[in-house]
Amino acid sequence: MDREPARGQSESEQQAAPQPGRRSVLRLGGGALAVGAGALSTLGLTACSGSGDAGGDGGKGDARKGKITVWSWQGPAAELKALVPDFNKAYPDIQVTVEDIGNPAIWDKITAGMAAGGQGLADVLHIGVDYLPGYVERFPGGLADLGPLGATAHKTAFASGLWETVSPDGKKVNALPWEANSAGFYYRADLFEKAGVDVEALQTWDETIEAGKKLKAKTGAHLLGIDKPASQPDAANLFQMLLQLQGTFYFDLEGRITLDSPEAVRAMTLIKKMNDEGLVSDLAGGWNALMSSLKKGTAAVLPWPTWFGGIIEEQVPNEAGKWKVRLPPAVRRGGATAATVNSTHLAVAGSSKQQAAAWSFIEYVLTRPASQVKIYRGKGIAPALMKAYDDSVFHEPSKFFSGQRKGEIFLSALTAPSPGVNYTSDYARALKLVTDAQSKVLLKGADPAKVLRDAAADLARQTGRKKAS
């Protein structure tokens, strides 16, 4: 799930912070977290030893008064703190304490609290899209149902597909969407121009591969990079994006395994084809390798989400005007070019005695355009709230990206139809099997259909889940 090293951090914070093995999954948090895939596995194991009901002693409280604590990390925590004075103008009797728990420390702390029946948890919890299903499935009652508190009134306010993510059964509302990052296709326009390729005209990934051949011959640059040995858990970001462009994922909405679906085989086959043509550079080593590649110009395309544009600007400021961005090509001609590849959410602990006051804060932060615009201006966190995009900040031309209105490009993705994505509590297991399969394809030339079929069978054995076909 294309995440930043520690989502929601400013570019300078990201530069200074150590880059953990991303995809801590959900490190994604609000912008692309960076937690370790192992954390999700730990979540599943730890949860099994819990009480099974982490929210039995919660209470709604008063919507206009009380003391609440909010857990987040780095950049997002700073932005939440900055909103408290404005919030208190509307709710003077609600005392808010925002705690920067750190990322990935927050995931262990939430897990421990839920395993202890909700003891010690904050009232408001910032949770990434890949962690949310695990908490919901492993700890029934661990998160309060926001529906009775008023969340359903905002059901249509967010980017397509996100409501299904926070309310997969259509009944309980587990959280409210905060951040939504769309798949992007950042590219060195000057290199493609030298190769005589019109990038905006590329409609499919097959066409992009052909363009990559010309690019490599004319400039020596690879088309893109992948962590081939899967030295970091997030090595399957491109594969996941290609799946989501086809409206599928590792699991369907019923939680059945789809690792070996025709769409998955098609995605892995495209990756194999790129690699066989010598178009894929090796990013073994994770974030540091990616940053080195960016600075050296090893690859001409960076197929990363919304938030990555700020990273490019910071890392290679001298290349202003050489870069452009578009939505990724479709997997098949006429197919989708838009996909929401990561998101983060705010939830209320089921054990909270001040659920109504906690909801008042969440509603103020996530459903008011002014709040989301302020956060975006502060840390560049792309809002899930669609009304926020009426603000001019999302429609300004970017000098770095050749005068493009970058915000409008990603806004077009958020307004496109997008199916909900079910990460389930077994995402980490699926991710490990997928990255292993991809490494076999990239390093040993394995058959995509076979390795994915084997991965699906292994996942079924490990989890007891049924295969969709």
Side-chain angles (χ1 to χ4, degrees):
M1 166 154 189
D2 306 80
R3 278 181 198 228
E4 316 125 87
R7 303 192 15 149
Q9 291 175 295
S10 67
E11 287 84 356
S12 59
E13 288 173 324
Q14 289 166 356
Q15 180 76 354
Q19 308 307 333
R22 291 191 34 205
R23 218 314 63 37
S24 90
V25 273
L26 217 39
R27 308 159 345 30
L28 153 79
L33 293 119
V35 183
L40 277 189
S41 296
T42 301
L43 168 62
L45 294 173
T46 303
C48 292
S49 64
S51 65
D53 186 346
D57 61 348
K60 290 187 177 179
D62 191 319
R64 300 202 65 83
K65 66 180 181 180
K67 295 182 179 180
I68 63 171
T69 300
V70 181
W71 282 357
S72 183
W73 61 84
Q74 290 98 12
E79 292 306 307
L80 292 174
K81 288 178 183 178
L83 283 177
V84 171
D86 289 339
F87 172 75
N88 282 145
K89 292 177 182 177
Y91 295 89
D93 296 322
I94 297 179
Q95 180 179 327
V96 182
T97 301
V98 179
E99 297 183 4
D100 176 356
I101 304 302
N103 185 342
I106 189 172
W107 311 118
D108 287 339
K109 194 161 185 176
I110 292 176
T111 300
M114 290 203 175
Q119 294 181 27
L121 286 177
D123 302 281
V124 176
L125 305 172
H126 191 182
I127 301 177
V129 66
D130 35 2
Y131 274 112
L132 185 62
Y135 291 136
V136 171
E137 292 182 26
R138 304 296 188 185
F139 302 104
L143 299 177
D145 183 358
L146 302 185
L149 295 173
T152 51
H154 306 290
K155 182 176 181 178
T156 62
F158 304 100
S160 176
L162 289 185
W163 190 260
E164 291 79 6
T165 298
V166 299
S167 182
D169 63 1
K171 298 176 183 178
K172 181 181 178 182
V173 183
N174 300 307
L176 214 62
W178 178 354
E179 172 187 14
N181 285 288
S182 301
F185 189 92
Y186 293 97
Y187 65 95
R188 280 281 300 272
D190 59 324
L191 295 181
F192 279 102
E193 183 177 352
K194 183 177 180 180
V197 174
D198 180 1
V199 177
E200 296 298 318
L202 300 176
Q203 297 185 43
T204 67
W205 278 92
D206 283 319
E207 292 179 5
T208 303
I209 291 172
E210 293 305 309
K213 295 178 186 178
K214 296 180 182 178
L215 174 82
K216 184 78 178 293
K218 293 284 188 178
T219 70
H222 293 82
L223 179 63
L224 48 79
I226 297 175
D227 181 353
K228 295 183 182 182
S231 61
Q232 300 295 327
D234 63 345
N237 284 337
L238 177 61
F239 177 70
Q240 287 188 190
M241 183 187 78
L242 294 174
L243 285 183
Q244 289 186 248
L245 289 174
Q246 299 175 84
T248 187
F249 197 62
Y250 300 164
F251 309 92
D252 63 17
L253 294 182
E254 285 71 48
R256 296 173 300 187
I257 298 167
T258 55
L259 279 187
D260 58 347
S261 66
E263 293 84 1
V265 173
R266 174 63 176 159
M268 193 66 80
T269 300
L270 283 171
I271 291 174
K272 185 178 188 300
K273 185 175 180 181
M274 292 181 216
N275 191 58
D276 290 349
E277 294 291 350
L279 306 180
V280 180
S281 64
D282 191 353
L283 298 179
W287 185 260
N288 290 336
L290 175 60
M291 292 301 98
S292 176
S293 173
L294 170 58
K295 292 174 182 177
K296 293 177 180 178
T298 305
V301 173
L302 291 166
W304 284 75
T306 313
W307 61 268
F308 199 79
I311 300 296
I312 298 174
E313 290 189 54
E314 180 186 64
Q315 295 295 318
V316 289
N318 294 333
E319 294 179 3
K322 295 182 178 181
W323 285 88
K324 286 188 177 181
V325 62
R326 52 163 286 181
L327 298 185
V331 174
R332 295 188 182 278
R333 187 173 297 277
T337 60
T340 301
V341 294
N342 60 47
S343 57
T344 59
H345 316 279
L346 291 182
V348 174
S351 57
S352 170
K353 302 292 188 182
Q354 301 290 341
Q355 292 178 9
W359 164 251
S360 295
F361 183 72
I362 288 176
E363 186 175 40
Y364 186 90
V365 171
L366 300 187
T367 70
R368 292 178 69 256
S371 297
Q372 285 299 295
V373 169
K374 185 173 182 177
I375 290 172
Y376 180 80
R377 289 183 181 276
K379 286 290 188 255
I381 298 175
L385 182 68
M386 296 307 296
K387 190 65 177 175
Y389 289 91
D390 291 345
D391 192 89
S392 62
V393 70
F394 298 101
H395 305 275
E396 298 167 352
S398 166
K399 181 178 179 181
F400 186 91
F401 289 99
S402 307
Q404 291 181 298
R405 288 178 168 80
K406 184 163 64 81
E408 293 182 354
I409 293 172
F410 287 107
L411 175 57
S412 68
L414 292 178
T415 57
S418 181
V421 176
N422 185 10
Y423 283 82
T424 81
S425 59
D426 292 314
Y427 172 71
R429 292 183 175 89
L431 181 61
K432 179 62 168 64
L433 290 166
V434 164
T435 54
D436 287 348
Q438 179 177 268
S439 292
K440 292 174 183 176
V441 168
L442 295 175
L443 300 177
K444 299 180 180 180
D447 174 55
K450 182 182 186 304
V451 294
L452 289 173
R453 185 167 58 248
D454 291 344
D458 285 345
L459 187 59
R461 284 193 292 271
Q462 290 179 21
T463 65
R465 293 181 182 272
K466 295 182 179 178
K467 294 173 57 178
S469 58

